[in-house]
Amino acid sequence: MSFRDDGVLLFPDHPDSEVKLNATLFNFKNCVYTAVFNCLSMAVTQVPLGLNTRRLPLGVQVIAKGFNDHLTIAVAEELERHFGGWPHINAVIDERYELAVEEAKEVDKRVTHELQGNDPLNGVSIHSQPLLGIPFAGKDSIPIKGLFQTTGCPARKGIKATEDAIVVKHLRDAGAIPVCMTNVPELLMWWNAYNKLYGQTYNPYDKSVIPSGSSGGSASLVSSAGAPLGIGSDLAGSIRMPSFFCGLFGHCITHELIPKDNHWPPYNEETKKLLTYGPIVRYASDLKPMVKVFVGKNASQLKLDESIDLTQIKVYYMYEMDDPFITRVTPDVRKGITDCVHHMKSLGATVQEVNLDKLKHSWSIWTLTMKAMNDTPMTEEMTNRNGSINLFAELFKTLCGGSDHTLGALAYAVWGKLYTSEREIQEYLRIRDELKTELTQLLGNDGIFLFPSHPESCVKLNATLFNLHNISYTAVFNSLNKTITQVPIGLNSRGLPLGVQVIANAFNDHLTIAVAEELERRLLLEPAINLVKHIKTGRLKCEDLVKAYVDRIKTVQPHINAVIDERYELAVEEAKEVDKRVTHELQGNEPLNGVSIHSQPLLGIPFVGKDCIPIKGLLQTTGCPARKGIKATEDATVVKYLRDAGAIPLAVTNVPELLLSWNTYNKLYGQTYNPYDKSIIPAGSSGGCASLVSSAGAIMGIGSDIGGSIRIPSFFCGLFGHCITHELIPKDNHWPPFPEEMMKYYTYGPIVRFATDLKPMVKVFVGKNASQLKLDESIDLTQIKVYYMYEMDDPFITRVTPDVRKGITDCVEHMKSLGATVQEAIKNTPMTEDMTNRNGSKSLFIEFCKTLYGGSDHTITALVMAVAMRLSISEQESQEYLKIRDELKAELNELLGNDSILLFPTHPDNCVKLNATIINIKNTSYTMVFNMLDMTITQVPIGLNSRGLPLGVQVIANAFNDHLTIAVAEELERRFGGWVPATKVQYE
């Protein structure tokens, strides 16, 4: 046989897909199926073709003549389209793809027909179907005609549904198209989607972590963008837990309104009172239309079209249950609840922590409620109600690996056989009823309860038996007849989803969904690193993100006056291009324009600039009247770096006149305000950036710093601000164009809300120089030395306030608790020329006279700085202070080395009024001295004081040790919570 240049050979990779670990020696010759083609110099591609009946992979070699790799790859791509490729998640157990495509063609035909002005085909208008053409996935317990309905039970192997469930009919009537059926645990009675018929379904975030159950197949598929909607059912958390572990929205509809016909197992009427159905989706905006369709004619009872004023609702919350058999809530889950509480409070809602003591009985309440239902025993369900299994024999088989049933199903069957006295059952039913009354009265029709969906987001596949009690976090609310929405609230530090249950009384689905929609808008409160992951995996559209930030800027701008110029429409167009590229590459295509989405660490992240660093097409005036209307003609290098990394510029923000003040005010654009308190300075010169970022109007702002201009605004606005080792930063086309000597003390850096965003931002800011900063080096914080000081001994500087001092002490104590060693331990261009845009010089005497009656175009602080720069100082005095500077620098360099940091106040006082900056100008010494000493510094927010104003601390290290200060910043964020949103009241 001779190979042609246009032919391929399909040949087995191996004769058998099941080779045991100890059998390779006896089957050694079987490798000839592949080895021979190496000898023949062939081009070969191995292609996965799915799984066999034992859930083991199948595959085929596609072979062509040498130099015809393009042929084998083209065939591989086609076979992947047909067979689905490698089974990453194993969520689908049955499908109707061809029928779905035919139904989709019929939809297209009807749309075309009606758009041409014709009457509807078949008498049903496309405009009457709210889910027209939407594909959805079913769950292997709720029947879809022609697809499996086995509930993963071996006794039901091969059984297919003969008719649709009513809820499926509702979806079809609304125009939706069923595509497939998804996997469940055996008979639904476990919280990991695994059975002996179809195997393990995997979590798309981490295959070693459970997708949970029983709607784990639906959740895994929806989370993988394999379906826009999955049907879920929930008896104890079977919608909410999979939605939590897979990062989705899952809604448990008020159960009285849901038809539950032909469900398998066919629960009795009492058990059905605990069971509900609901949609599992990626977007909160899909919940309302889906719920309306699920409940059919009952939709009017749910008030879903009723407008909700979230400022008027009551928000109650708890962090965990007082049950010794339940896992303690992890810090990241707790922080998620706290963040949601802060966000709802910022809207103006009334928030209150409560202690529902009876929740500690949740496990007993749910289990004994189930016992009281007297439903069909699990041992009978496992035979498809044809007799009963021998439970002892099946447990024995399990020990030998021979049972057809899962350990979870058998464990539930054992629990069903355990004796419980009627007295004990009635006691817990009484506690249940009392708890239900207490919670019902607490919530009324205008209250919601925030509660963890699960105490931890990392449950390994083999750990469900040991943590079974943890399902109490969801199961109890089925017993209490509540409506609930599980809401994803981002990822933890391991990249696993976090979530929260939003709980309300029955028939208040509109409340929980409204809160879910609001918390979804919290994508404004997501770190950049999470958002990039969501964009690159197709879970988040860049266009939606950019529009959300544009909308947010438009909301806060009237309150804070931070933005002086914008490019919103261009940014949206660039975001659409990002989405186009993502879709293209996720379909397996080569990158558009030759740049892969995976090579861009800030793909789709919107950012704002500062009115001194040029962004092409936007203003670059530095708040100086003589530069009014001047726009940048090219990007600064640091902006180019950000664009190359995939980031998208949105706007330019306000600065003090010519940057030389520590309050952001000028006569061109006016005063920028602090979002925490409008009578307090936002500081400067990066005050516009800081105010906007703190108001959640931007993910990141570009800051620059020669005396504290990143750190002081970050301090006053409760943010992280990092001063990058200045030698590594390109500072081209800056205005004013400072002389080279001055630029030695000048640096740029990111201003952000989350410490986790600092490293990726800094890497991009410094470009090819990133390797010099050791940012990927692991830091053992127990091995670093921590030095600290509380204040400067200068009689002209404000004394450090008690809360600033306490903040330093708290940081020191925390670092000590980790095991760290702790120990207390300049000529430039005259400013009068800059004021004329370097076209001559201003008369300071005349400008001061004008200022007295409000006639000067310049700010009083700019004039004061100009006077200060005119004051003469003798050469001898100048040299004396330069000598002191060099001695201090040498002393600090020796003290810190490459393994130490200094904790030092960012500012002595966090309450500086708008009109008080001249009087307190020397207080900037707390930051500016470290520019002169060539240090790398991160300002870290450490909470709010009793007045609700931010506190912070500088983490200082020698140059090129940015990795140290950022590592400490990340640790202090974990301890103190980082940025805290300002309240709505404070915006007004």
Side-chain angles (χ1 to χ4, degrees):
M1 175 182 175
S2 62
F3 277 85
R4 298 166 39 143
D5 285 332
D6 61 352
V8 297
L9 170 68
L10 300 180
F11 197 73
D13 295 276
H14 203 77
D16 182 12
S17 59
E18 182 180 1
V19 179
K20 298 294 185 181
L21 294 174
N22 58 357
T24 53
L25 188 62
F26 305 104
N27 298 310
F28 180 64
K29 282 194 69 174
N30 288 347
C31 71
V32 298
Y33 275 82
T34 53
V36 66
F37 298 106
N38 294 74
C39 303
L40 301 178
S41 299
M42 295 293 162
V44 191
T45 303
Q46 134 68 24
V47 181
L49 301 175
L51 304 178
N52 66 9
T53 55
R54 294 209 53 195
R55 315 308 288 172
L56 295 173
L58 298 170
V60 65
Q61 293 179 91
V62 182
I63 303 160
K65 193 174 178 180
F67 298 96
N68 283 284
D69 306 62
H70 64 294
L71 279 182
T72 66
I73 292 173
V75 172
E77 290 172 340
E78 177 56 36
L79 292 178
E80 180 183 37
R81 279 189 286 271
H82 183 72
F83 292 101
W86 180 60
H88 298 276
I89 58 172
N90 188 36
V92 175
I93 64 162
D94 201 3
E95 49 81 14
R96 57 188 305 278
Y97 301 148
E98 292 184 4
L99 285 172
V101 169
E102 290 305 313
E103 290 168 15
K105 289 178 181 177
E106 185 61 28
V107 168
D108 293 336
K109 179 181 176 182
R110 290 173 54 213
V111 169
T112 301
H113 182 78
E114 287 194 46
L115 290 180
Q116 291 173 344
N118 300 307
D119 290 332
L121 293 172
N122 306 323
V124 179
S125 172
I126 59 174
H127 303 294
S128 68
Q129 295 182 293
L131 301 184
L132 185 69
I134 298 299
F136 69 91
K139 176 180 179 179
D140 184 22
S141 61
I142 300 170
I144 295 177
K145 185 177 180 179
L147 297 185
F148 285 143
Q149 189 187 16
T150 66
T151 58
C153 178
R156 289 183 60 80
K157 183 178 180 180
I159 293 177
K160 298 204 172 193
T162 56
E163 60 179 313
D164 288 333
I166 291 176
V167 74
V168 173
K169 291 176 183 175
H170 286 170
L171 287 163
R172 285 185 183 267
D173 290 344
I177 300 172
V179 173
C180 61
M181 187 63 75
T182 60
N183 203 18
V184 296
E186 185 178 355
L187 289 164
L188 312 185
M189 287 301 180
W190 204 245
W191 59 299
N192 177 31
Y194 166 73
N195 58 64
K196 294 292 185 77
L197 276 185
Y198 312 115
Q200 176 68 56
T201 292
Y202 295 100
N203 187 322
Y205 286 90
D206 186 331
K207 291 183 71 175
S208 70
V209 173
I210 63 169
S212 198
S214 61
S215 305
S218 286
S220 178
L221 189 65
V222 172
S223 184
S224 303
L229 160 69
I231 301 177
S233 62
D234 192 305
L235 188 66
S238 296
I239 287 173
R240 289 160 287 159
M241 286 193 293
S243 296
F244 169 81
F245 281 97
C246 295
L248 300 167
F249 294 89
H251 182 70
C252 294
I253 299 170
T254 296
H255 84 82
E256 289 94 332
L257 305 182
I258 280 287
K260 306 161 194 169
D261 59 304
N262 296 318
H263 183 278
W264 193 272
Y267 302 130
N268 66 26
E269 290 305 314
E270 287 300 309
T271 303
K272 283 182 180 179
K273 290 179 181 178
L274 304 184
L275 179 69
T276 189
Y277 293 176
I280 295 174
V281 295
R282 294 194 298 277
Y283 306 105
S285 53
D286 286 339
L287 289 173
K288 278 187 185 177
M290 299 294 182
V291 169
K292 287 181 180 179
V293 170
F294 269 62
V295 299
K297 295 178 181 179
N298 293 323
S300 60
Q301 298 185 52
L302 291 183
K303 302 172 282 188
L304 292 171
D305 294 322
E306 187 174 290
S307 179
I308 304 294
D309 183 353
L310 293 177
T311 68
Q312 300 302 307
I313 70 169
K314 301 181 181 72
V315 178
Y316 303 95
Y317 64 99
M318 275 181 67
Y319 288 109
E320 54 194 334
M321 297 174 176
D322 186 18
D323 181 339
F325 297 102
I326 292 178
T327 303
R328 305 298 291 176
V329 165
T330 59
D332 46 16
V333 172
R334 176 179 285 268
K335 184 178 184 299
I337 299 284
T338 300
D339 289 345
C340 292
V341 169
H342 283 158
H343 181 66
M344 296 307 294
K345 186 177 181 181
S346 76
L347 299 176
T350 302
V351 303
Q352 179 185 337
E353 187 172 7
V354 294
N355 180 21
L356 300 175
D357 186 59
K358 291 183 178 66
L359 278 176
K360 66 186 179 186
H361 302 297
S362 292
W363 173 256
S364 297
I365 288 173
W366 182 78
T367 55
L368 297 185
T369 298
M370 288 292 290
K371 287 250 186 185
M373 300 303 179
N374 292 315
D375 216 326
T376 305
M378 186 74 166
T379 50
E380 294 181 23
E381 297 289 13
M382 294 168 92
T383 66
N384 198 29
R385 301 195 173 189
N386 294 315
S388 178
I389 66 164
N390 184 322
L391 189 53
F392 178 80
E394 291 301 327
L395 287 169
F396 182 77
K397 288 181 188 177
T398 298
L399 296 177
C400 309
S403 177
D404 289 333
H405 302 286
T406 62
L407 184 58
L410 293 171
Y412 188 80
V414 169
W415 169 81
K417 294 290 186 181
L418 297 177
Y419 172 75
T420 307
S421 70
E422 183 63 24
R423 179 179 178 182
E424 186 178 5
I425 290 175
Q426 291 305 315
E427 174 63 18
Y428 281 106
L429 292 182
R430 180 186 64 79
I431 294 172
R432 177 200 67 187
D433 293 342
E434 290 175 356
L435 177 58
K436 181 177 178 180
T437 299
E438 182 182 3
L439 191 54
T440 299
Q441 290 177 350
L442 179 73
L443 298 181
N445 289 316
D446 62 352
I448 58 109
F449 181 45
L450 299 179
F451 197 69
S453 300
H454 205 74
E456 59 178 329
S457 55
C458 181
V459 177
K460 296 296 184 179
L461 294 175
N462 57 357
T464 53
L465 190 62
F466 306 104
N467 298 314
L468 180 58
H469 261 65
N470 289 347
I471 69 169
S472 301
Y473 275 84
T474 52
V476 65
F477 297 106
N478 294 72
S479 306
L480 302 178
N481 189 26
K482 300 302 170 189
T483 185
I484 316 158
T485 306
Q486 136 68 27
V487 180
I489 53 174
L491 306 178
N492 67 7
S493 57
R494 288 197 52 192
L496 297 174
L498 297 169
V500 62
Q501 292 181 90
V502 182
I503 301 162
N505 282 330
F507 298 95
N508 283 286
D509 301 58
H510 63 302
L511 274 184
T512 67
I513 292 174
V515 173
E517 291 173 341
E518 177 58 36
L519 294 179
E520 182 181 42
R521 285 189 281 272
R522 276 188 76 257
L523 64 84
L524 298 174
L525 309 180
E526 281 265 17
I529 57 170
N530 289 358
L531 294 169
V532 169
K533 290 177 186 175
H534 294 326
I535 289 170
K536 287 183 177 180
T537 56
R539 293 189 179 97
L540 170 65
K541 285 188 176 297
C542 181
E543 180 185 357
D544 291 340
L545 179 65
V546 169
K547 284 181 175 178
Y549 270 100
V550 169
D551 288 345
R552 180 63 177 172
I553 292 174
K554 290 177 179 179
T555 298
V556 300
Q557 173 65 5
H559 301 289
I560 60 173
N561 188 37
V563 173
I564 66 162
D565 200 5
E566 50 82 11
R567 57 187 304 278
Y568 301 148
E569 291 185 4
L570 285 172
V572 170
E573 290 306 312
E574 290 167 14
K576 290 178 180 178
E577 186 62 27
V578 168
D579 292 332
K580 180 180 176 182
R581 291 173 53 214
V582 169
T583 301
H584 184 77
E585 287 193 46
L586 289 181
Q587 290 173 344
N589 300 307
E590 291 296 314
L592 293 171
N593 306 323
V595 180
S596 172
I597 59 173
H598 302 294
S599 69
Q600 295 183 293
L602 301 182
L603 184 70
I605 297 300
F607 70 93
V608 295
K610 176 179 178 180
D611 184 23
C612 63
I613 300 168
I615 296 177
K616 185 177 180 180
L618 297 184
L619 291 171
Q620 189 188 16
T621 66
T622 57
C624 178
R627 289 183 61 80
K628 182 178 181 181
I630 291 178
K631 297 205 173 194
T633 57
E634 60 180 313
D635 288 333
T637 299
V638 74
V639 174
K640 291 177 183 174
Y641 286 167
L642 286 163
R643 285 186 184 265
D644 289 345
I648 299 173
L650 286 183
V652 165
T653 59
N654 202 18
V655 296
E657 186 178 357
L658 291 167
L659 311 184
L660 291 174
S661 174
W662 60 298
N663 176 34
T664 299
Y665 167 73
N666 60 64
K667 293 292 185 77
L668 275 184
Y669 313 113
Q671 175 69 53
T672 292
Y673 294 99
N674 187 321
Y676 290 90
D677 187 328
K678 291 181 73 172
S679 71
I680 304 295
I681 63 169
S685 62
S686 305
C689 279
S691 178
L692 190 63
V693 172
S694 186
S695 302
I699 296 172
M700 187 273 288
I702 302 175
S704 60
D705 191 306
I706 197 170
S709 294
I710 287 174
R711 290 160 288 159
I712 305 178
S714 296
F715 170 81
F716 278 93
C717 294
L719 301 167
F720 294 88
H722 183 71
C723 293
I724 300 170
T725 296
H726 80 82
E727 290 93 332
L728 305 182
I729 281 286
K731 307 160 196 169
D732 55 306
N733 296 316
H734 183 278
W735 192 273
F738 298 134
E740 285 303 312
E741 280 302 308
M742 196 169 176
M743 278 294 188
K744 289 180 181 178
Y745 308 117
Y746 200 50
T747 189
Y748 293 175
I751 295 174
V752 295
R753 280 169 282 150
F754 306 102
T756 49
D757 286 340
L758 289 172
K759 277 187 187 177
M761 298 291 182
V762 170
K763 286 181 181 179
V764 171
F765 268 63
V766 299
K768 295 178 181 178
N769 294 322
S771 60
Q772 299 184 51
L773 291 183
K774 302 171 282 187
L775 292 170
D776 294 322
E777 188 174 291
S778 179
I779 304 295
D780 183 353
L781 293 177
T782 68
Q783 299 302 307
I784 71 169
K785 300 182 184 73
V786 178
Y787 299 94
Y788 65 98
M789 283 179 64
Y790 287 110
E791 55 192 336
M792 296 177 170
D793 187 18
D794 183 336
F796 297 102
I797 292 177
T798 302
R799 304 296 292 177
V800 166
T801 60
D803 46 16
V804 172
R805 175 180 286 269
K806 184 179 184 297
I808 299 285
T809 300
D810 289 346
C811 292
V812 169
E813 290 301 318
H814 179 64
M815 296 305 294
K816 186 177 181 180
S817 75
L818 297 177
T821 302
V822 302
Q823 181 181 333
E824 190 168 3
I826 322 186
K827 181 178 172 177
N828 59 18
T829 303
M831 190 170 170
T832 49
E833 293 183 20
D834 282 336
M835 286 178 162
T836 65
N837 198 29
R838 303 203 171 187
N839 294 315
S841 179
K842 286 282 185 180
S843 165
L844 286 175
F845 178 76
I846 293 173
E847 292 302 322
F848 265 113
C849 290
K850 289 181 182 178
T851 298
L852 295 178
Y853 57 85
S856 177
D857 289 334
H858 302 287
T859 60
I860 185 67
T861 49
L863 295 170
V864 168
M865 289 299 296
V867 169
M869 291 181 176
R870 285 290 187 89
L871 296 177
S872 62
I873 182 171
S874 70
E875 182 65 23
Q876 180 181 350
E877 189 176 3
S878 175
Q879 290 304 314
E880 175 64 22
Y881 280 109
L882 292 179
K883 174 174 170 290
I884 293 172
R885 177 201 66 187
D886 293 341
E887 289 173 354
L888 177 58
K889 181 177 179 180
E891 180 182 359
L892 196 53
N893 284 345
E894 184 178 352
L895 179 71
L896 298 182
N898 290 316
D899 63 349
S900 303
I901 55 107
L902 171 66
L903 298 179
F904 197 72
T906 308
H907 205 74
D909 180 13
N910 64 351
C911 181
V912 177
K913 298 294 183 179
L914 294 175
N915 57 359
T917 53
I918 294 179
I919 304 166
N920 297 311
I921 192 167
K922 281 198 71 174
N923 288 348
T924 61
S925 302
Y926 275 83
T927 52
M928 65 172 53
V929 64
F930 296 107
N931 293 74
M932 304 302 110
L933 302 178
D934 190 23
M935 296 288 143
T936 185
I937 315 156
T938 306
Q939 135 68 27
V940 180
I942 52 173
L944 306 181
N945 69 2
S946 57
R947 287 196 52 191
L949 298 175
L951 297 168
V953 62
Q954 292 182 92
V955 181
I956 302 162
N958 281 330
F960 297 96
N961 282 287
D962 302 57
H963 64 303
L964 276 183
T965 68
I966 292 174
V968 172
E970 291 174 340
E971 177 58 34
L972 293 180
E973 181 182 43
R974 281 189 285 272
R975 168 61 182 83
F976 297 103
W979 168 75
V980 179
T983 69
K984 183 179 180 182
V985 172
Q986 289 164 329
Y987 285 139
E988 289 176 348

